[in-house]
Each structure stands twice: as C-alpha cells, then as structure tokens.
Amino acid sequence: MILKFFKNIGPGPLVAAAFIGPGTVTLCTLAGVNFGYTLLWAMVLSIVATIVLQEMAARLGIVSQKGLSEVIRSEIKHPLVRGFAILLILSAIVIGNAAYEAGNISGGALGMQTLFGNPFLELGSFKLNIMSLIIGLVAFVLLYVGNYKVLEKALIFLVVLMSLTFLTTAIITKPNLIEIFKSIVVPKFPEGSILTIIGLVGTTVVPYNLFLHASLAKTKWKDNSDLAFARKDTIVAVVLGGIVSMCIIISASAIPSQDISNASDLAKGLEPLFGVYAKYFLAIGLFAAGITSAITAPLAAAFVASGCLGWSTNLKSVKFRAVWMFILGLGIVFSTIGFKSIEIIKFAQIANGLLLPIIAGFLLWIMNKSSVLGTYKNSKLQNVLGFVILVITIFLGVKGILSVFKII
C-alpha cells in the first residue's frame, strides 16, 4: 500500500516546492516575529484554498490532457478576449517569474552563505556571488536533463529536506502546543496584521502553480482512473507545504528581538537561544526553499509560454528549453551581480494581481463544462468552495495592485 502510494507521488511536491520560496519563508518569519502564533489560522485558510484550486488544475490536466494555457487558447473563442488573456498570462508568468527568479536564487544563496560564508569572484568592476552561480548551475543541470522522473525525484528530495529542517527547527524552540492549537482554530486580527494575513494567503495561492500543476499532471498521468492518486498527491503535498510554513512562523515566534527582516536574520537570532544546530537547520531549509523555487519558476514559465503560443510542451524541445534558459539566465545574472529591478518586479506584481482572480474565475468556469470534463466536472460543493476562493482572490488581487501604487 505504502509502496503504491510512493510510486504514484506526482507533481504535488513540485507545487509545494514552488509556493515555499524565499519570499514565503521571509513573510512567515515576519508573521512569527511580529504576531507570534496568532496568524497560524491564516495558513490553514491558505492550505484549504490551495488544495481546492490545485485539485481542479490537476483534474483538468489529466481529463483534458492539456495544460491550462492550452485550454484557455482553445476555449476562449473571442479573438480579442483570447488575445488579452494570453498577453496577461505571458506578462504575469513569464516576465513575473523572470523578475522573481533572482530572489529565488538569492534566497538559496543566503542559506548557503549562513553555512559557508559569502565568497565573491571579482571580474573587473563586477563582484560575482559564487553561491548564486552554484545554485543557478544546479538548477540548469536538473532542467536540462529534461527527464520528468529525475526532476520529480530531485525536487521530492529537496522538499523532504526542507520539511525536516524547518520542522526540526520548530521542535528545537519548544513551542507551546496548546497556544498553537488555539491559534489554528480561533481567527484573530491583531493590530497591523491585515496586510500580513493577506500576504500569507497570497504567497500560498499562486497563479503560476495552477499552470504548472495542470501541465505536470498530464505528463505524469494519462488515465482518468489516476484522478484518485492525483487528489491524494495534491492534498498530502499542499498540507506538507502548509506545515512547513507554519513551522517557520512557530520558529520565528521564539525570537524576542524585533530586528529580524529575513530568514538569515532568523537563523542568527535562533543560534544564541537554541544552539548552533538551529542556525544550521534553518540555513539548509532556506537553501532548499530557494533552489526548489529556482527550478519550478522557469519550468512553469516554459509550460505557460509553450501552451499560449502553441509550441510543444516536451521538456526537451528547443523552444521549451529556450524559455526556461532565458528565465534562469536572467535570475542568475541579476542575483550574481546583486541587481534589483524594482520596476520589473512592480509590473509583475500588478500582472499577478490581475491574473489570480481572472485565472481562478476561468478555472471555475471551465471546471463546469461537460464538453471539456464530461462527468468529471465540479460538484456543487466544489463550486461553492471555488466561489468563496474566487472572492478571496479578487480581494488579494486588488490589494496587490493597490499596494504597488502605495494606496494601502
């Protein structure tokens, strides 16, 4: 039974790897430092919302044997609407992932620097970060191999490593289990916490994961009888990812100091309280979070671009490889030289803010079409949950856009 389950582990861990990047680690760290255990309930809400949407994406991929961007191309008939949808998707996912890739690589490098120091290579007036180059090279090799099973196994290993390190760190801090349970089941809104709550949901319910999941599910499974495996895979992986995020919040709650702005600071803050091992566990976790997101972001962008433009989504096709190489290459260069393009990141945030509710709405619409899914379309309960999540995504999208323009 257990062997059968492991044999059918699919893209779920890759989805978990994608949403637990350095940004999520930093946000969870700040949530724990500033509000203690209080916001754990927001992570539970995020986990439920993510499971509902990701299960729909996986089901769509398996039943239709198409990626989400391919379904959008075929099901939106009006050329102007279809053109706008494709342009928005390409802007949010391809440009967005290029903008965030440097952060993914830098986050992984930060974990390595906590363990091994911060070596630089000087080339003329440029100082190149060696750790960023190493992480970029590892991501390149795994993606270039172009073998789904190799990629899957590597990412499952990294997700398990990440989960164990953050879980161990949380246990080292000797948390109050009764308070944790109360914070999980009783929603509270401490003063100044609203933006953090929205952020916790927003970093877990990620638009590019819906595209990634549908594409990987059709690669892994070819038969409708595999839907049960896909559902279990999604639930286990997303819950595991949620537990990792909660462990980071719990670990950060143990720090009395407020001078914490990222996970590297958290690692240093834990050392005097709980010994050098806490620092090492957290640093390894941050490295795993960075490198897994550094692999999944270019992969998602390649699936999206190929689906939108009608190219082959074969992992070894030239055009598919060209997209992820472009994203990864930009990330490596920006991370290595320490360049931060704020304007590109702002544009990506606006595009993602627009895309999340649009894709959630489209997904809900398509999941009710018998012509696409037949008897596997949404049940009434799935539609109710989907509609509630759609309202949340609209709220998140509006907040994301307003925050870029500093209106809130």
Side-chain angles (χ1 to χ4, degrees):
M1 183 74 184
I2 293 172
L3 284 174
K4 194 176 182 183
F5 173 75
F6 277 106
K7 186 185 171 188
N8 283 284
I9 285 179
L14 280 73
V15 170
F19 77 71
I20 306 173
T24 305
V25 174
T26 299
L27 192 65
C28 290
T29 298
L30 294 175
V33 168
N34 295 325
F35 305 105
Y37 301 149
T38 314
L39 302 185
L40 287 173
W41 66 268
M43 276 313 307
V44 176
L45 175 69
S46 306
I47 293 164
V48 173
T50 305
I51 287 170
V52 171
L53 289 179
Q54 295 297 156
E55 188 278 332
M56 288 184 198
R59 184 161 29 110
L60 177 65
I62 295 167
V63 176
S64 69
Q65 280 298 296
K66 289 179 182 177
L68 184 51
S69 47
E70 294 168 79
V71 175
I72 288 169
R73 276 184 77 236
S74 62
E75 291 300 318
I76 298 179
K77 306 301 181 189
H78 194 285
L80 281 177
V81 177
R82 183 171 61 237
F84 171 75
I86 287 172
L87 184 64
L88 179 60
I89 291 163
L90 288 172
S91 299
I93 308 296
V94 179
I95 297 173
N97 283 9
Y100 298 136
E101 182 67 356
N104 293 331
I105 293 170
S106 299
L110 206 59
M112 290 179 75
Q113 286 162 20
T114 308
L115 295 172
F116 304 113
N118 194 11
F120 279 92
L121 180 69
E122 292 196 21
L123 286 177
S125 58
F126 286 112
K127 284 178 76 178
L128 305 182
N129 187 319
I130 300 290
M131 296 305 181
S132 293
L133 288 172
I134 291 169
I135 285 177
L137 182 64
V138 172
F140 179 88
V141 170
L142 284 170
L143 285 165
Y144 193 82
V145 167
N147 184 313
Y148 173 73
K149 285 185 179 176
V150 171
L151 199 60
E152 184 183 80
K153 283 175 183 171
L155 285 169
I156 287 170
F157 168 75
L158 286 166
V159 169
V160 169
L161 176 69
M162 176 168 61
S163 305
L164 290 174
T165 52
F166 285 128
L167 183 61
T168 306
T169 309
I171 292 167
I172 286 171
T173 63
K174 297 174 184 167
N176 185 324
L177 297 179
I178 294 168
E179 286 301 314
I180 287 173
F181 180 75
K182 279 184 189 173
S183 300
I184 286 171
V185 297
V186 180
K188 286 183 183 172
F189 299 84
E191 189 179 341
S193 66
I194 294 296
L195 289 182
T196 307
I197 291 166
I198 293 167
L200 288 172
V201 178
T203 59
T204 313
V205 185
V206 186
Y208 88 71
N209 260 347
L210 298 171
F211 292 93
L212 184 65
H213 206 167
S215 295
L216 292 175
K218 75 179 178 67
T219 304
K220 171 76 178 181
W221 294 296
K222 303 293 182 187
D223 196 274
N224 293 345
S225 62
D226 293 322
L227 284 167
F229 291 122
R231 193 168 288 118
K232 281 179 195 168
D233 176 61
T234 302
I235 293 168
V236 170
V238 174
V239 168
L240 184 65
I243 290 170
V244 169
S245 297
M246 291 165 84
C247 284
I248 300 166
I249 294 172
I250 291 164
S251 301
S253 302
I255 302 283
S257 165
Q258 298 296 304
D259 300 326
I260 306 286
S261 60
N262 58 47
S264 186
D265 292 342
L266 177 58
K268 289 167 190 164
L270 285 172
E271 186 178 359
L273 291 169
F274 303 104
V276 73
Y277 291 112
K279 180 182 86 167
Y280 289 143
F281 281 122
L282 204 62
I284 292 166
L286 182 58
F287 159 73
I291 199 166
T292 50
S293 292
I295 293 165
T296 51
L299 187 64
F303 274 124
V304 166
S306 300
C308 283
L309 301 171
W311 300 342
S312 166
T313 53
N314 185 305
L315 270 65
K316 292 185 178 179
S317 80
V318 175
K319 289 176 180 175
F320 188 91
R321 279 179 167 168
V323 177
W324 68 250
M325 281 182 185
F326 171 72
I327 305 290
L328 181 60
L330 273 183
I332 293 170
V333 170
F334 287 171
S335 173
T336 304
I337 63 174
F339 175 76
K340 290 183 176 69
S341 180
I342 300 300
E343 293 309 312
I344 296 173
I345 290 172
K346 279 184 178 178
F347 171 78
Q349 285 173 325
I350 293 166
N352 269 301
L354 283 169
L355 185 67
L356 181 57
I358 289 172
I359 292 303
F362 176 82
L363 190 61
L364 208 51
W365 170 63
I366 211 76
M367 294 309 291
N368 283 283
K369 291 193 77 168
S370 299
S371 58
V372 177
L373 289 149
T375 56
Y376 297 100
K377 67 180 187 178
N378 270 3
S379 65
K380 284 182 181 176
L381 176 61
Q382 285 167 326
N383 280 332
V384 169
L385 289 171
F387 181 76
V388 171
I389 293 163
L390 176 61
V391 172
I392 293 170
T393 61
I394 292 168
F395 181 64
L396 284 171
V398 171
K399 174 262 161 189
I401 293 165
L402 292 179
S403 65
V404 170
F405 292 110
K406 296 188 168 69
I407 296 170
I408 58 169

